[in-house]
Amino acid sequence: YPPIMRFMGSIVKGNSVLYFGADVMDWPYCTFSNHTVIDNARVTGHHMVYWDFVLSPVAVGGVLHEETFASDTDLPRKESGPWRAHVGKCTKAMPIELAQSLFRSSALKR
């Protein structure tokens, strides 16, 4: 899976990432450390807080068990139990229109 993840634009540190996941969205904003197992978890670079759209990098490692949600966070190499949500501080929220224009311009640069 690491070559496919790199092709999609994410950063993979190492060569052993196992993906049995549900969703990985916003590939260019995702960083996966070595020996990462994504077991039916959701890893995404965006989320919404009321009407503000948060688009920021996410770094995961270790084991992400089923239905774990990771966004705008840095999870070190550890085990993240099932049904946990790891969301950052949401300090850089932006209006949805600005987020869409930034995403389009960054997608064109790659």
Side-chain angles (χ1 to χ4, degrees):
Y1 293 108
I4 296 170
M5 292 174 165
R6 287 187 184 104
F7 176 75
M8 296 297 288
S10 47
I11 298 170
V12 180
K13 299 176 181 176
N15 287 321
S16 61
V17 176
L18 295 177
Y19 173 71
F20 309 107
D23 294 323
V24 174
M25 292 184 262
D26 308 320
W27 290 92
Y29 294 95
C30 297
T31 301
F32 303 95
S33 65
N34 198 17
H35 305 296
T36 300
V37 178
I38 303 170
D39 183 20
N40 199 19
R42 288 162 173 45
V43 179
T44 180
H46 76 278
H47 63 276
M48 295 283 295
V49 179
Y50 297 110
W51 292 104
D52 291 328
F53 184 77
V54 178
L55 183 64
S56 63
V58 58
V60 294
V63 179
L64 277 73
H65 287 285
E66 60 185 20
E67 298 304 325
T68 300
F69 178 77
S71 176
D72 186 23
T73 189
D74 185 15
L75 288 177
R77 289 189 51 181
K78 65 176 188 175
E79 191 170 352
S80 300
W83 293 91
R84 301 275 190 243
H86 301 279
V87 181
K89 296 181 181 178
C90 308
T91 57
K92 297 182 180 179
M94 63 184 84
I96 188 83
E97 295 83 14
L98 178 61
Q100 289 173 342
S101 66
L102 288 175
F103 188 73
R104 285 189 201 117
S105 66
S106 68
L108 293 175
K109 289 179 185 176
R110 292 186 177 258

